[in-house]
Amino acid sequence: MAARRKRFQAGPGTLVAAAFIGPGTVTTCTLAGANFGFALVWALIFATISTIILQDMSARLGAGARLGLGEALIKSAPGSLGTAIAGGLIIAALAIGNAAYESGNIVGGVLGVEAMTGEGARRLLILTIAVTASAILLIGRYKPIERILVVLVLIMSAAFALAAILVRPDPLNLLSGLWPTIPENGLLTTIALIGTTIVPYNLFLHAAAARQRWNDDPASVTDARRESAVSIGVGGLVSILILSTAASSLFAMGIDVSSARDMALAIEPAFGPSARYLIGAGLFAAGLTSAVTAPMATAYALNELIPGKDVSKSATRFRIIALAVVAIGAGIALTGVKAVSLILIAQAANGLLLPIIAVFLLYVMNRRNLLGDHANGQLTNMAGGLVVLVAAILGARGIWRAIETGLSSL
């Protein structure tokens, strides 16, 4: 009798989806759809496939080799100088960057609430979301936090899917966006779409979470890889639905907006109040999930920098680091920095930082003395190298375009 097929189990891949479908993704996809219609759908498909490739490496690293990415970087770094560079990269990519991103996550959640209820008491809402994220992180154990995030991801996915159904995107227009082209003035948006999907800190989060979630037997590694591909694929689909909603409503009607909250308010007259509530609920859930996952990734990675410590038993240190990230993010949010500008800058920075982190990941995943059978094969290296190459080219073009703009303004 054939063995019964195992039921799909949500896990670290769902956390990765929860992390990259944050306010940055919702805002960037909204602006991409509003400004360029369906022209950049291909960028989201590329970003989703690239994320599956890179996160698969992190899943194998955590579930198979029982290593976090930060720990693997430190162990594989050549000499003390290499160790210092690896440690500095982790701190720059996570400890500094995520504290800034956290403010965008919190404010993004606030914008979702305001889309449903109207403006007012923003400071109180910022503190409420920060306290809620802190309460979840204070649990300190992986499994309960995972369950909470899975529920939030389901709410978020359902909200954006229903919003897309309300505006009924034209399938032919959607298909027209599959051909890779960058519209005029669309380069930075293209980089931002890739940077908001292939998030560098998710590579750290996934490996650390996979080590705690899965056993090291071959069946668990297979489950980890399958769960990663399915969850991230669904996350990419949600991003396409957000872009399609904006393209079918805002772009089609020639409405200019600066955020997903504006989209929720703009499409209400044409599609009814349910559209506003759906987008608002989705944006709130996106903000709250990312407000939890960014501090999680930072806490996991910085714990791994401390030698001779078992990360799974460092709950107190995990809580302190995670809560510090939330506190800094809330503090920045309370200063009144313009949320949309902060979110877009963060996502563009992600796109520029990605090639560096991905190169380090590829380096680690080829250390057979460290990973054994879970090291990369030739095909995986080719796919990962292609992702790095495309990301690097787009990043270089973005930097050059910024330099040209700066010189022309002199």
Side-chain angles (χ1 to χ4, degrees):
M1 185 175 177
R4 188 169 59 183
R5 193 171 184 178
K6 292 182 68 176
R7 180 172 57 89
F8 176 81
Q9 298 179 28
T14 308
L15 267 65
V16 170
F20 77 70
I21 311 175
T25 295
V26 178
T27 298
T28 306
C29 290
T30 297
L31 295 179
N35 295 328
F36 306 108
F38 293 93
L40 293 176
V41 169
W42 68 268
L44 282 176
I45 293 176
F46 166 78
T48 302
I49 294 172
S50 300
T51 302
I52 291 173
I53 292 170
L54 295 179
Q55 297 295 159
D56 179 79
M57 298 182 199
S58 288
R60 284 185 283 121
L61 182 64
R66 316 304 296 166
L67 290 169
L69 178 54
E71 182 182 3
L73 283 172
I74 296 299
K75 286 186 175 182
S76 61
S80 57
L81 177 60
T83 301
I85 293 174
L89 179 67
I90 295 169
I91 292 173
L94 296 172
I96 298 174
N98 280 0
Y101 300 155
E102 183 70 358
S103 62
N105 296 332
I106 292 171
V107 174
V110 170
L111 293 177
V113 175
E114 290 181 345
M116 295 183 286
T117 64
E119 293 187 25
R122 174 167 288 199
R123 287 179 175 271
L124 178 60
L125 288 174
I126 289 172
L127 292 174
T128 300
I129 291 176
V131 169
T132 303
S134 298
I136 295 172
L137 290 164
L138 276 172
I139 296 172
R141 290 176 288 117
Y142 171 76
K143 193 62 181 177
I145 295 177
E146 179 195 88
R147 288 171 178 163
I148 293 171
L149 290 174
V150 166
V151 171
L152 289 171
V153 167
L154 290 174
I155 293 171
M156 174 175 58
S157 301
F160 287 126
L162 290 172
I165 290 172
L166 282 177
V167 302
R168 296 187 297 277
D170 186 333
L172 292 179
N173 287 336
L174 181 61
L175 290 174
S176 70
L178 299 181
W179 183 254
T181 57
I182 298 178
E184 185 178 356
N185 299 321
L187 177 59
L188 289 181
T189 302
T190 304
I191 296 172
L193 284 173
I194 294 172
T196 195
T197 307
I198 319 173
V199 182
Y201 80 71
N202 274 345
L203 299 172
F204 294 87
L205 174 64
H206 201 164
R211 178 167 62 174
Q212 296 199 40
R213 176 65 173 80
W214 305 103
N215 298 320
D216 57 354
D217 62 90
S220 290
V221 176
T222 301
D223 289 341
R225 299 180 69 181
R226 182 183 63 166
E227 187 271 336
S228 173
V230 171
S231 298
I232 294 168
V234 171
L237 177 61
V238 171
S239 297
I240 293 172
L241 290 174
I242 297 168
L243 185 150
S244 300
T245 300
S248 300
S249 55
L250 306 176
F251 184 77
M253 294 185 288
I255 299 174
D256 292 327
V257 299
S258 61
S259 70
R261 173 184 172 273
D262 293 344
M263 176 171 71
L265 299 176
I267 68 176
E268 182 181 11
F271 301 100
S274 56
R276 172 168 62 91
Y277 284 109
L278 286 171
I279 293 174
L283 181 56
F284 167 73
L288 183 56
T289 54
S290 294
V292 173
T293 53
M296 279 181 71
T298 307
Y300 280 139
L302 295 190
N303 267 325
E304 293 167 5
L305 296 182
I306 302 175
K309 297 289 185 179
D310 184 350
V311 176
S312 64
K313 297 180 180 179
S314 57
T316 300
R317 196 166 60 247
F318 173 92
R319 292 186 181 101
I320 291 173
I321 296 172
L323 293 180
V325 173
V326 176
I328 294 171
I332 295 173
L334 288 170
T335 63
V337 176
K338 191 174 181 180
V340 174
S341 299
L342 187 64
I343 288 170
L344 289 177
I345 290 171
Q347 302 318 314
N350 260 350
L352 298 175
L353 182 65
L354 169 65
I356 300 172
I357 300 293
V359 165
F360 272 84
L361 176 65
L362 283 171
Y363 171 72
V364 167
M365 294 304 296
N366 279 279
R367 295 294 301 272
R368 290 196 174 273
N369 62 326
L370 195 65
L371 278 77
D373 293 338
H374 303 293
N376 277 358
Q378 185 175 359
L379 184 61
T380 305
N381 279 331
M382 290 175 61
L386 179 61
V387 171
V388 172
L389 178 63
V390 174
I393 291 172
L394 288 172
R397 285 186 64 185
I399 293 173
W400 180 248
R401 182 65 60 83
I403 293 173
E404 282 187 324
T405 303
L407 291 176
S408 64
S409 63
L410 293 177

